[in-house]
Amino acid sequence: MFSTTPVVYAVGDEYQIIFYVRRQAYAKIRIGGREFDDCVCGVMRSAKGMRKISVPRTLLEGCGEYTLVIQNILTRAAYGTKIIKTTEKKFIFRPVIIGETVRAFMTGDSHGDIESAVKSAETFGKFDFLIVNGDIPNKCDKVCNFETAHNIAAKLTGGRIPVVFAKGNHENRGAAAELMFDYIPLKNGKTYYAFRLGSIWGLVLDCGEDKEDNHPEYGSSVRFHAFRQEQTEFIRKVIADAENEYNAPGVEHRIVVSHIPFIRDMNKLFTIEEETYSEWAKLLFEIKPEAIFSAHMHTYEIMRDGAKHARFPAPCPTVVGTERRDDYLGGAGITFEKDGITVQFTTSKGETVLSEKI
Ligand SMILES: [Fe+2]
C-alpha cells in the first residue's frame, strides 16, 4: 500500500506530511486522537499519486508518533462511493530537542541521482533533520519528477525525523513546473517561509532562476523578479515579528537556507538582482544568522565576509555544500552545538573532505 514512506516537512508552525498512494483512496493522518483529512474545501481527495496533509507542529512533536490511514475506494462515484479496504501504519517521529547537540545533513544538486544523494548522507552518519536544498530533479516536465526529493528524503528519514525543503532553479523548468504547488511543501502557497526545529530557527528563501527573467532559455516562462521583491517584504515582516520568530524563547541557532547563494558573485550572466539581493543581505544583519546554507554551484565553499567572491557584506558565512563531479555527489553534515556550528563535507564515495567550525 505505502509505495513511498511519508516525509515530514517543517514549515512554519506546521509539519506538512507528503506521501504517495498507489490507487484511488482517501487519506488521513491521525495524531493523539485527532484526525487530519486530505481534503479540499470539504471534499476528500481520492486520486492516486502524491498527497500532502498539514498537521500542527506542537501536536506532532508532543505525541511523537503519527498514523497514516489509507482508505481504498471502489470507483469514485457521484452517488455512493464505497470504501473497500482501510490500511493503517504508525510512524514514530523524533522531533529536534532543545538543549541537545543537533546533527543535520544538507543534500542538493542531485539532478535525479537518488543513490548518490543517499550515500553522501550515509557518509556523515546519523542525523536529526535533513535539508533538501534544490535541483533535486534535473527538470520538471512531468509531475513524477517532484517525487525525486521525497524519495531521497524518505530513504534518509523513514518519516521519523523532520525535513526542510528549499526549491532550486531546476524545479522551475518544464511543463509540470506550474503544477509543483500540489507536490512540495509551501507556506501560504509560497516556497519561502520560516521554520523552527528545537533550538534552531530557519529562514528558507527562493531565488527562483539563476539568470534574468528575459533570458531566452526561459522563453518568457518565469517572473522571478517580482517574486524576489515579494520576499524582501516577507523578510521585513519576519523582522517585525522577531519575538515570535528568531527571538522566540529557546532559539539558540539561526540559519538561512537558499538554493542559490545570493550573497556570492557569479559569472556575468548569472550576476543578477543587485538591488534585491543586496537588500536581503542588509536585512540579514537584523536577523544575525550563523550561516546561509546553499547549493547550486556544484562545489564546496565556506565563503566568509570579505572573501574574493563575496558580492555584498553579510553577517555570516555562506556554506555552499554540494560538490558534484562525474563520479560522486557531496553534501554537508552540520553539527549545531552551544558554541557554534561545525560543517563537514561528505561524499557518495565515503569520504569526508573537510571539517570546519564556522
Ligand atoms: Fe541550481
Side-chain angles (χ1 to χ4, degrees), residues 295-308:
H296 186 66
M297 308 301 293
H298 294 196
T299 190
Y300 298 133
E301 180 181 22
I302 298 177
M303 187 188 73
R304 297 178 191 281
D305 201 18
K308 184 182 170 191

Side-chain angles (χ1 to χ4, degrees), residues 170-184:
H170 282 257
E171 278 85 355
N172 305 312
R173 299 185 181 188
E178 68 195 60
L179 305 173
M180 70 175 82
F181 304 101
D182 278 339
Y183 308 113
I184 60 175

Side-chain angles (χ1 to χ4, degrees), residues 10 15 57 61 96 129 162-164 195-201:
Y15 286 112
R57 180 169 68 85
E61 291 180 351
V96 175
F129 74 95
V163 181
V164 173
F195 66 87
R196 175 76 188 270
L197 293 171
S199 57
I200 298 160
W201 177 91

Side-chain angles (χ1 to χ4, degrees), residues 278-350:
S278 66
E279 183 63 16
W280 289 10
K282 267 186 218 159
L283 290 171
L284 289 185
F285 278 95
E286 294 286 325
I287 297 175
K288 298 183 182 65
E290 285 168 272
I292 302 169
F293 289 100
S294 292
H296 186 66
M297 308 301 293
H298 294 196
T299 190
Y300 298 133
E301 180 181 22
I302 298 177
M303 187 188 73
R304 297 178 191 281
D305 201 18
K308 184 182 170 191
H309 295 295
R311 187 180 178 195
F312 312 114
C316 64
T318 291
V319 178
V320 179
T322 55
E323 186 155 280
R324 181 180 175 79
R325 295 290 180 267
D326 288 344
D327 59 341
Y328 70 87
L329 173 67
I334 307 159
T335 305
F336 297 85
E337 292 172 299
K338 284 262 181 215
D339 61 344
I341 296 175
T342 302
V343 174
Q344 289 170 270
F345 296 131
T346 61
T347 76
S348 54
K349 292 167 79 176

Side-chain angles (χ1 to χ4, degrees), residues 58-70:
T58 50
L59 177 69
L60 179 53
E61 291 180 351
C63 287
E65 63 178 36
Y66 61 98
T67 300
L68 178 56
V69 182
I70 302 291

Side-chain angles (χ1 to χ4, degrees), residues 109 135 169 259 296:
D109 291 327
D135 287 4
N169 54 313
H259 172 75
H296 186 66

